[in-house]
Amino acid sequence: MATYLDVVNNVLRRLREPVVTSVNDSEYSAMIGVMVNDAKRDVEDAYDWNALSDTLTATTTASLFNYVLVGSKTRFRVIDVLNESEQSFMNYAASHWMNQQFLLTNPQNGKPMYYNFNGVNSNGDTQVDVYPIPDAVYTLRFNLIIPQADLVSDNTRILVPDHLVSMLAYSKAIAERGEDAGVQASEAYLQYRLALADAVAIERNHYQEEMEWVPV
């Protein structure tokens, strides 16, 4: 996995610009750093990359239904949610239904079977409500795709395929200053899209049980 600095220098080389020893060595390299972060976000949002998968655990307390998923932030995507203590999957419930259970009826206490995301805390982590309201201690496992935080340190390694981040950041850089030695931004972006399709196909092949074949 390439570092933040590696990818910035990769883009600079593509642009025929001098490489740097730190992302913030110059105004131009710092701008490329911004584009690398933008590109990383776009690549992260393009697919559920296995490198971004993580499991967050919430341990319940009796009579408490709201919990914080520490480290989740807000850009995550859900793979599945389990009540590990009961060895059962939990189901997503709409906010309207959850409000009805909590406010318009007599709330039930028991083993949590449903969940609903409800706001964020002061640290920017997502909060989750569970229902029925726990009547004991349960371990709830949230299997999520969690995008990496914005890159700041030169030595931070990029989790998603770094060649895609380089290619997309390069296309953004060309768009910012015009063509680069005859290469148009649209051409560079098309090359990125083709590489993205290849990378997604390769990763999907690792999980053939999730592949869906359709007639064409």
Side-chain angles (χ1 to χ4, degrees), residues 7-43:
V7 173
V8 167
N9 279 331
N10 185 298
V11 176
L12 290 172
R13 289 188 183 96
R14 292 169 185 261
L15 294 166
R16 298 169 178 81
E17 297 285 345
V19 298
V20 293
T21 57
S22 177
V23 172
N24 293 315
D25 273 358
S26 69
E27 289 186 7
Y28 191 69
S29 64
M31 183 186 71
I32 296 299
V34 172
M35 293 179 179
V36 166
N37 266 307
D38 290 345
K40 180 187 73 69
R41 175 184 285 262
D42 289 346
V43 172

Side-chain angles (χ1 to χ4, degrees), residues 144-156:
L144 310 173
I145 299 293
I146 305 177
Q148 188 176 11
D150 284 348
L151 305 169
V152 177
S153 172
D154 291 343
N155 296 321
T156 300

Side-chain angles (χ1 to χ4, degrees), residues 3-196:
T3 65
Y4 182 27
L5 179 60
D6 290 336
V7 173
V8 167
N9 279 331
N10 185 298
V11 176
L12 290 172
R13 289 188 183 96
R14 292 169 185 261
L15 294 166
R16 298 169 178 81
E17 297 285 345
V19 298
V20 293
T21 57
S22 177
V23 172
N24 293 315
D25 273 358
S26 69
E27 289 186 7
Y28 191 69
S29 64
M31 183 186 71
I32 296 299
V34 172
M35 293 179 179
V36 166
N37 266 307
D38 290 345
K40 180 187 73 69
R41 175 184 285 262
D42 289 346
V43 172
E44 290 170 340
D45 291 345
Y47 184 68
D48 290 344
W49 304 103
N50 181 59
L52 301 180
S53 63
D54 200 357
T55 299
L56 302 183
T57 301
T59 302
T60 68
T61 300
S63 301
L64 182 64
F65 64 84
N66 179 266
Y67 300 89
V68 175
L69 297 178
V70 178
S72 63
K73 301 307 177 185
T74 59
R75 291 178 53 221
F76 65 87
R77 300 186 291 278
V78 177
I79 301 173
D80 54 37
V81 180
L82 297 88
N83 182 333
E84 184 177 42
S85 301
E86 294 295 315
Q87 297 185 344
S88 61
F89 285 98
M90 295 181 64
N91 298 308
Y92 174 81
S95 298
H96 176 78
W97 185 87
M98 291 286 278
N99 290 336
Q100 185 178 41
Q101 308 314 306
F102 287 125
L103 303 176
L104 302 181
T105 63
N106 292 322
Q108 297 180 9
N109 289 67
K111 63 180 182 180
M113 300 171 59
Y114 302 96
Y115 69 93
N116 174 268
F117 300 114
N118 187 8
V120 297
N121 72 351
S122 59
N123 292 323
D125 287 324
T126 296
Q127 300 177 144
V128 61
D129 292 341
V130 298
Y131 189 83
I133 299 171
D135 60 352
V137 175
Y138 297 91
T139 299
L140 311 181
R141 294 171 59 88
F142 292 77
N143 297 315
L144 310 173
I145 299 293
I146 305 177
Q148 188 176 11
D150 284 348
L151 305 169
V152 177
S153 172
D154 291 343
N155 296 321
T156 300
R157 296 195 175 275
I158 297 176
L159 299 180
V160 293
D162 53 83
H163 72 289
L164 298 178
V165 178
S166 295
M167 295 176 74
L168 183 55
Y170 173 57
S171 75
K172 291 177 181 291
I174 296 175
E176 186 274 333
R177 74 175 188 181
E179 70 177 47
D180 179 58
V183 177
Q184 299 286 342
S186 58
E187 179 184 349
Y189 183 72
L190 176 60
Q191 292 174 350
Y192 155 73
R193 293 290 300 179
L194 293 172
L196 173 64

